[in-house]
Amino acid sequence: MMSNDFEKAFGSFLERKEYDEAESALFAMVRTAFLAGWKAAGGEPPSPQKLFELIRCGTNDPRVNKPDTPPD
């Protein structure tokens, strides 16, 4: 019985916004530590990359040079 309660409570915890924030912060710390070690070992830092691109509705989509409108 107690194990079932634990799993239910843990599942609820994993679904909370606070868990997502904590997981994101932990990932950032691990990546930062790995990057520091990488650089200390003589590795080149990764080049900056776009994570995503915002496209405004009703404007031209720069990827295909066509208006951002639904097909007929």
Side-chain angles (χ1 to χ4, degrees):
M1 295 281 182
M2 188 176 272
S3 180
N4 243 359
D5 293 340
F6 172 83
E7 294 301 331
K8 183 177 179 182
F10 187 60
S12 294
F13 169 72
L14 293 178
E15 294 173 3
R16 296 183 61 177
K17 177 184 170 193
E18 290 82 4
Y19 171 76
D20 291 336
E21 291 170 354
E23 182 183 35
S24 180
L26 181 58
F27 177 82
M29 287 187 299
V30 169
R31 189 174 195 288
T32 299
F34 184 86
L35 179 58
W38 181 266
K39 288 179 182 179
E44 291 292 320
S47 56
Q49 298 177 359
K50 281 189 197 178
L51 296 179
F52 57 89
E53 180 179 353
L54 298 178
I55 299 174
R56 298 175 87 180
C57 291
T59 63
N60 286 340
D61 184 338
R63 295 171 295 177
V64 293
N65 247 355
K66 293 183 180 177
D68 186 20
T69 57
D72 293 324

